[in-house]
Amino acid sequence: IQPAYAFKGLREGERIAVQEALAGWGYYKGPIDGLWNAALWTAVEDYAADLDLTGKLDDKAGSLAVFRHIAN
C-alpha cells in the first residue's frame, strides 16, 4: 500500500498532525500515536474520496502530497 509507505516516511510530528487533523474532521477514530493502522487507512480513503483525491493515493509521491495537505 503506497500510502502506508509514504506515511512512514513522514516525521513523527507530521504523522501525529495527520491523525489529529483527520480525527478533528471526524474521519479518524483511532489512537493519536503516529502509527499506521487500519482505522487510519479508512480515514485517509474517506478523506481522499470526499475531496476527489483518491487517484493521488496510487503512488508514494501523491500520497505524500495528500498527507502534507492534511497536516497543514
Side-chain angles (χ1 to χ4, degrees):
I1 301 173
Q2 292 300 326
Y5 294 120
F7 186 77
K8 291 174 184 177
L10 297 174
R11 294 186 319 261
E12 181 179 12
E14 291 175 308
R15 294 191 309 264
I16 289 172
V18 167
Q19 289 176 325
E20 289 175 336
L22 290 170
W25 298 328
Y27 288 99
Y28 180 59
K29 309 273 191 263
I32 306 295
D33 57 9
L35 301 176
W36 184 261
N37 58 59
L40 183 57
W41 172 236
T42 299
V44 169
E45 283 186 308
D46 292 346
Y47 173 83
D50 284 351
L51 283 112
D52 199 26
L53 299 172
T54 304
K56 294 216 176 255
L57 299 176
D58 292 341
D59 61 52
K60 187 175 179 180
S63 296
L64 277 172
V66 170
F67 291 134
R68 292 210 165 104
H69 174 76
I70 293 169
N72 293 315

